[in-house]
Amino acid sequence: MAPSILQTLILLLSASATFLTTGAGANPLPNSSSNSGTKAKSCVNGPPATGSSPGSLPIADYSLVAPAANLNWTSYTVKKSWWDDHFLSGPHYMPYTHHTDPYGAFKCQYTCNAAGDKCKSYFLWYTDINNANEHINCVLFDDIIDPAIFVPGGNSTIGAGGYDRRCQSSTA
């Protein structure tokens, strides 16, 4: 029997410290005007997110990043101070549930691409899990997400992935 999407997500979280998953349980919506202008990184040389999970869709221009595997978090978010410093836009509501994953991450890349060179990464989480209002949120940032900025999220969310823009010369 094939593993459920939730089991696959949990496996991804515990399998590699190079994956990023999100879950803003506290839903720390920052002040959108708080971007501090801190010098942001522009890209990473990591592997493409395509193929990072069973049945994954093409996300070739972004690399998946996660908290350290030993943390084994299902729900987490980025530190509010980092969020406030690097927030571009969002959360962008998408009607997908964790049963349709990884479609939300696939669609969010287009939201980031539409922001042009300003968008360096995006972060996703499912909220209102297993009820009629379940959906995924996508937030855009002007900096590369480092795994060190993750903190635990709330119980009613599932992390769905954080994605850093890959450098054009990446061949991984």
Side-chain angles (χ1 to χ4, degrees):
M1 177 174 240
S4 71
I5 295 297
L6 181 56
Q7 290 168 325
T8 301
L9 286 172
I10 291 169
L11 178 64
L12 283 173
L13 288 175
S14 62
S16 170
T18 60
F19 289 76
L20 152 71
T21 358
T22 62
N27 201 13
L29 298 179
N31 176 346
S32 62
S33 64
S34 66
N35 191 317
S36 68
T38 304
K39 179 77 172 136
K41 297 175 217 67
S42 61
C43 61
V44 297
N45 287 314
T50 301
S52 62
S53 65
S56 67
L57 298 164
I59 307 174
D61 295 331
Y62 295 87
S63 243
L64 188 60
V65 198
N70 65 328
L71 297 175
N72 199 23
W73 294 339
T74 300
S75 178
Y76 55 94
T77 186
V78 296
K79 291 178 184 174
K80 187 168 183 340
S81 60
W82 188 91
W83 180 311
D84 289 344
D85 287 346
H86 300 288
F87 175 83
L88 280 179
S89 69
H92 301 280
Y93 173 97
M94 297 181 185
Y96 313 114
T97 70
H98 71 280
H99 300 290
T100 59
D101 191 79
Y103 198 64
F106 172 72
K107 295 299 281 185
C108 188
Q109 74 180 318
Y110 297 110
T111 306
C112 189
N113 290 345
D117 291 340
K118 295 182 293 183
C119 185
K120 306 302 182 198
S121 63
Y122 59 94
F123 173 89
L124 303 111
W125 73 96
Y126 294 98
T127 193
D128 298 323
I129 305 305
N130 292 325
N131 75 45
N133 297 319
E134 182 177 341
H135 63 279
I136 193 167
N137 293 297
C138 167
V139 176
L140 309 182
F141 295 107
D142 72 352
D143 196 0
I144 298 304
I145 298 171
D146 185 302
I149 57 104
F150 291 119
V151 294
N155 292 331
S156 63
T157 66
I158 295 176
Y163 296 78
D164 288 341
R165 186 178 298 273
R166 296 177 67 229
C167 300
Q168 293 300 323
S169 61
S170 290
T171 58

